Amino acid sequence: MHFADSSRKLWVLHGEAAILFTKLTVVIEQNKGDWITVTNQANLASNLFNVINPNQTKRLLGQEFKHAIFDATEAFNLDALAMLIGTLVNGSVLILLLPKDFAHWQDYDSLRWNENACPITTPNFIAHLTQVLAEHNYAINHQFVNQFPNIDSTFYNFQEQQNVLKQLLESTKTIKVVIAKRGRGKSALAGQFSHYHHCLVTAPNKNSLTTFFRFAKTTTPFYAPDELITANLDPFPEYLIIDEAAMLPLPILAKLIQLAISKHRKILLTTTVEGYEGTGQGFLLKLLADKACNFFYLQQPIRWHADDQLEQFSDHLMLNGMLSFDTQMLKKNQTIDYSQVDRQDIQALKQIYYLLKNAHYQTTLVDLRRLFDAQNLMVWQAKIGDQRVAAAVTINEGNLTDALIDEVWKGTRRPKGNLVAQSLVAHAGEKLAAKLQSLRINRIAVIELYRRQHIAQNLVQSITNYAEDHGKDFVSVSFAFSDDNYRFWLACGFNIVHIASRKETSSGTYSVMAIKAISQAGHILVEKLQHKLQRNSYWLKQIIDLPFAQIVTSDPDQGLTNEDIEELYGFCYYHRPYESTYAVLCRLHSYNQTQTSKIDLPILSALITNNTSELPVIQQMQLTGKNALMQALKQELAGWLGYWHSAQP
């Protein structure tokens, strides 16, 4: 155990969870505190009254606690640990429980990020954890040393915060953004700001606003983001405060900002840099690029001392600001080497993670765990000398059994992994996509200084060459549609084969799937999927806000085919999604209208007339909700399919 001059302490113990918790009861009884306990264990001692599951730790955000236990004996949830550490105040002890033996330990947290139904060993992460513990002089112990820091846990240093508050009040910009690491007092600062203006506050979770309301004007109202967007408040307060803005889905955040601007009101945003949710600064810079903003930064912690060793340990373990890049420009005739990264080269994997983190605001600690130890994953790099300037991550997909593919098509199973392969079966209705062997590009990034020099394109070509050499049928990618993304993948030789019918929550735009065929079977798959997309786009362009004329040429031939009938059966008698069957339903409606002895399909007609808007149809048909609407539609279709089948020769 390590007890240097630090405001917060870390104890590292290992053994069996039940035994460790039993012994800890004495420590807890002798030392008053909140003792937040993050664990999957059940039936713990009665004096452990603040027990929370690792996947529920977001509920702790914005609050402050003294003393905690983090149980990693079965699963090491790095996100949960990051959140917990950020809530602990000066004078706290964090007790980290590790398994008795790492040699054959299987980490149940891998079920979150590894494409396997069973937990796996995580040797790279364990090596990283062990190295960080050693570098910070934390020994893994069997015995307890009941030694607690004798420090005033109410220590706060508000000087920097007060300076920034003064700057905020003097700023005339419409949007003010406060950016800081955890524990710097962003929420407290926002609360103090509410005393000077008429404000309302919103946040991803009201429970995370405990600190905000401790400092805020007591009459400051809270609205959940969705509620605020639809509330039509009049009058609207002078300021909209959005706490932990980077945790909100991009489209929700954009709507909130637009709402305030449309009412000629101002906005105060707070967000976390290098948090578990990704790099909040990059997130906001992307969203606010064309808006009048002032950015304010808090550097000094207020929940703990500036030299806090628990924060240093946390930053090191989670690679927060621990690495840097050489930013020299690429010189002419300088050789760029494209290669696969050795998955046992932990230092290289750390640098790849940091590269991805700086390039993508959505890169999180889950990506770090995946890079370290996920199975069925390959990592690629572009290097100039010793410097990595680009990276990519690929995942093997396909080669599923016919029985499993049928269940995926029916919507009765959706096993882990095979994102593109399964989606093309489940949503595009093409079973061949999961039968063939493919390589999916999961991530690709280039350091900003080296972009627009064809490095990413050449890296994709290296991946394609590997796929061809190893008998793959195609390379795939799924990306959030934008003009830049679309042009890039087109330049890499990919063909758009499927467009999602709903916007992604995280990006606020539509997910697009593209394929680069390699084998003859791969070319056949692309041809089939493109033909289906050309037929479906005739109807999809009415409900999906994308430049279809730029992406695909619609096929005017909208006759009902045997394949369409099969998809109608899949929707009616199995669990194929309504959105995936929409174009086929439109063709059925059009076909039915031309028949002399047409079958009455009132629900289908109402849905198509309302461009899939369900609420008016539910009200018109006096149904109880969406489930009832879908059941009524299926009954209607069952009648038509029965009639159609009886009419066949």
Side-chain angles (χ1 to χ4, degrees):
M1 296 174 194
H2 182 72
F3 290 104
D5 294 331
S6 174
S7 59
R8 300 183 300 171
K9 307 298 181 187
L10 175 67
W11 293 7
V12 185
L13 306 170
H14 77 174
E16 295 181 6
I19 296 173
L20 292 174
F21 274 115
T22 299
K23 291 182 177 180
L24 279 172
T25 56
V26 177
V27 176
I28 294 165
E29 288 173 358
Q30 293 177 352
N31 298 276
K32 291 184 178 180
D34 300 294
W35 286 110
I36 297 294
T37 303
V38 178
T39 181
N40 287 311
Q41 302 291 326
N43 303 318
L44 297 176
S46 58
N47 61 348
L48 285 173
F49 49 87
N50 282 329
V51 179
I52 189 169
N53 192 279
N55 61 17
Q56 297 176 321
T57 45
K58 279 191 177 182
R59 289 164 39 188
L60 304 178
L61 296 179
Q63 303 179 66
E64 296 180 352
F65 304 103
K66 185 174 182 180
H67 305 322
I69 301 170
F70 187 84
D71 176 17
T73 57
E74 291 185 358
F76 204 120
N77 186 317
L78 202 54
D79 311 69
L81 179 61
M83 287 183 254
L84 179 63
I85 289 175
T87 67
L88 296 179
V89 298
N90 203 54
S92 293
V93 166
L94 170 63
I95 302 177
L96 175 61
L97 307 183
L98 297 177
K100 186 175 182 179
D101 179 17
F102 276 133
H104 304 289
W105 181 64
Q106 293 181 323
D107 188 351
Y108 275 79
D109 186 62
S110 64
L111 297 176
R112 287 194 309 137
W113 44 261
N114 186 54
E115 297 184 350
N116 195 308
C118 300
I120 61 170
T121 58
T122 56
N124 286 340
F125 175 70
I126 295 307
H128 171 59
L129 171 64
T130 304
Q131 179 187 8
V132 172
L133 287 170
E135 289 181 3
H136 288 264
N137 298 318
Y138 289 115
I140 300 177
N141 292 273
H142 297 273
Q143 303 299 321
F144 292 80
V145 178
N146 193 1
Q147 181 181 354
F148 275 63
N150 185 21
I151 299 175
D152 178 10
S153 63
T154 61
F155 166 83
Y156 291 104
N157 180 3
F158 291 113
Q159 186 57 54
E160 182 188 38
Q161 196 181 72
Q162 293 305 305
N163 293 339
V164 172
L165 176 60
K166 184 174 182 292
Q167 294 168 20
L168 281 171
L169 295 171
E170 292 172 351
S171 171
T172 59
K173 296 288 187 181
T174 300
I175 301 175
K176 302 169 180 61
V177 186
V178 178
I179 297 173
K181 291 175 66 176
R182 298 221 164 272
R184 268 63 184 170
K186 299 182 302 297
S187 296
L189 176 61
Q192 293 173 62
F193 184 84
S194 71
H195 288 272
Y196 297 87
H197 295 281
H198 182 205
C199 304
L200 71 80
V201 63
T202 188
N205 186 340
K206 187 177 182 180
N207 291 336
S208 69
L209 289 172
T210 302
T211 301
F212 171 86
F213 282 116
R214 188 192 308 164
F215 291 88
K217 189 176 180 180
T218 55
T219 55
T220 303
F222 167 81
Y223 285 84
D226 290 339
E227 179 188 11
L228 180 58
I229 289 169
T230 58
N232 195 25
L233 292 182
D234 189 20
F236 198 91
E238 183 184 358
Y239 264 91
L240 169 61
I241 299 175
I242 307 176
D243 199 37
E244 291 296 357
M247 289 184 65
L248 288 170
L250 183 62
I252 297 294
L253 183 56
K255 286 180 181 179
L256 289 170
I257 291 172
Q258 185 55 41
L259 173 65
I261 291 175
S262 69
K263 295 181 179 294
H264 306 289
R265 296 299 188 258
K266 295 183 178 181
I267 303 158
L268 173 61
L269 301 171
T270 75
T271 192
T272 302
V273 175
E274 297 196 309
Y276 43 83
E277 71 273 12
T279 50
Q281 185 173 2
F283 178 89
L284 287 173
L285 288 176
K286 179 178 180 178
L287 181 66
L288 304 176
D290 60 343
K291 295 179 173 63
C293 304
N294 268 158
F295 291 87
F296 304 87
Y297 298 87
L298 292 169
Q299 305 292 346
Q300 298 300 316
I302 62 170
R303 287 183 191 159
W304 49 80
H305 289 296
D307 60 350
D308 181 75
Q309 292 201 7
L310 183 55
E311 182 177 56
Q312 292 173 18
F313 164 77
S314 175
D315 283 343
H316 196 168
L317 183 64
M318 297 157 199
L319 301 183
N320 289 337
M322 301 303 295
L323 301 172
S324 61
F325 297 111
D326 182 2
T327 55
Q328 293 181 359
M329 283 292 292
L330 179 62
K331 298 176 182 177
K332 286 186 177 181
N333 303 320
Q334 205 163 4
T335 302
I336 304 176
D337 177 55
Y338 300 91
S339 62
Q340 194 174 339
V341 178
D342 181 357
R343 290 294 301 284
Q344 294 182 334
D345 188 343
I346 296 176
Q347 188 59 31
L349 295 174
K350 291 179 185 178
Q351 291 177 357
I352 295 291
Y353 170 74
Y354 205 66
L355 191 157
L356 292 172
K357 183 176 178 179
N358 278 270
H360 285 284
Y361 65 83
Q362 288 181 317
T363 303
T364 68
L365 293 172
V366 168
D367 295 294
L368 178 59
R369 296 301 313 271
R370 189 177 286 123
L371 271 176
F372 270 150
D373 293 299
Q375 300 168 322
N376 198 33
L377 179 146
M378 288 178 285
V379 185
W380 307 80
Q381 63 187 359
K383 293 179 70 177
I384 300 173
D386 293 331
Q387 182 183 355
R388 291 177 176 85
V389 298
V393 177
T394 62
I395 297 171
N396 288 303
E397 294 195 344
N399 202 28
L400 303 186
T401 65
D402 291 337
L404 179 55
I405 292 172
D406 282 340
E407 290 188 73
V408 171
W409 184 89
K410 291 175 181 177
T412 54
R413 282 196 66 186
R414 195 69 191 271
K416 282 191 171 186
N418 291 280
L419 184 146
V420 168
Q422 284 200 73
S423 292
L424 292 177
V425 175
H427 301 293
E430 186 46 67
K431 296 180 181 180
L432 182 61
K435 187 67 177 174
L436 300 181
Q437 298 186 56
S438 59
L439 197 63
R440 171 167 62 90
I441 299 176
N442 172 253
R443 285 288 181 91
I444 186 165
V446 180
I447 294 176
E448 187 170 4
L449 198 62
Y450 294 91
R451 292 174 189 168
R452 304 192 185 283
Q453 299 178 52
H454 304 293
I455 294 175
Q457 195 169 333
N458 291 335
L459 187 56
V460 170
Q461 186 58 52
S462 294
I463 292 168
T464 304
N465 293 342
Y466 170 90
E468 186 172 5
D469 292 342
H470 288 77
K472 303 296 183 183
D473 295 293
F474 63 90
V475 178
S476 70
V477 66
S478 175
F479 61 91
F481 184 86
S482 69
D483 286 339
D484 286 344
N485 286 345
Y486 171 69
R487 285 195 295 267
F488 171 75
W489 290 109
L490 212 62
C492 290
F494 282 69
N495 296 285
I496 305 299
V497 294
H498 181 67
I499 298 171
S501 54
R502 291 190 176 183
K503 291 182 177 180
E504 282 188 333
T505 302
S506 58
S507 67
T509 187
Y510 295 93
S511 176
V512 174
M513 294 183 185
I515 282 178
K516 186 173 185 178
I518 296 174
S519 69
Q520 184 178 358
H523 283 282
I524 292 171
L525 173 66
V526 169
E527 186 177 329
K528 293 174 72 173
L529 286 167
Q530 283 193 308
H531 180 249
K532 182 171 289 189
L533 181 59
Q534 288 166 355
R535 296 191 78 223
N536 290 349
S537 66
Y538 185 88
W539 305 99
L540 295 179
K541 62 187 178 184
Q542 300 174 16
I543 62 169
I544 297 178
D545 182 24
L546 283 181
F548 271 90
Q550 173 188 343
I551 301 170
V552 61
T553 302
S554 295
D555 186 350
D557 181 7
Q558 293 297 309
L560 207 58
T561 65
N562 289 334
E563 190 176 20
D564 289 337
I565 298 297
E566 184 183 12
E567 289 208 30
L568 289 172
Y569 269 102
F571 170 73
C572 190
Y573 296 108
Y574 298 108
H575 302 281
R576 287 193 60 75
Y578 166 72
E579 292 82 3
S580 303
T581 319
Y582 175 73
V584 177
L585 291 169
C586 289
R587 283 194 284 274
L588 166 60
H589 179 258
S590 179
Y591 170 83
N592 192 53
Q593 294 293 98
T594 64
Q595 301 303 297
T596 53
S597 56
K598 65 181 180 181
I599 304 296
D600 191 25
L601 301 172
I603 295 176
L604 178 60
S605 297
L607 277 168
I608 291 174
T609 301
N610 285 277
N611 281 343
T612 75
S613 181
E614 296 158 0
L615 185 58
V617 182
I618 291 170
Q619 293 172 341
Q620 178 186 340
M621 301 295 173
Q622 298 182 332
L623 298 169
T624 56
K626 181 177 179 179
N627 288 339
L629 173 64
M630 289 298 109
Q631 288 304 314
L633 177 60
K634 289 182 178 185
Q635 289 177 8
E636 191 173 275
L637 292 177
W640 185 90
L641 286 168
Y643 171 80
W644 178 87
H645 186 72
S646 64
Q648 298 307 299

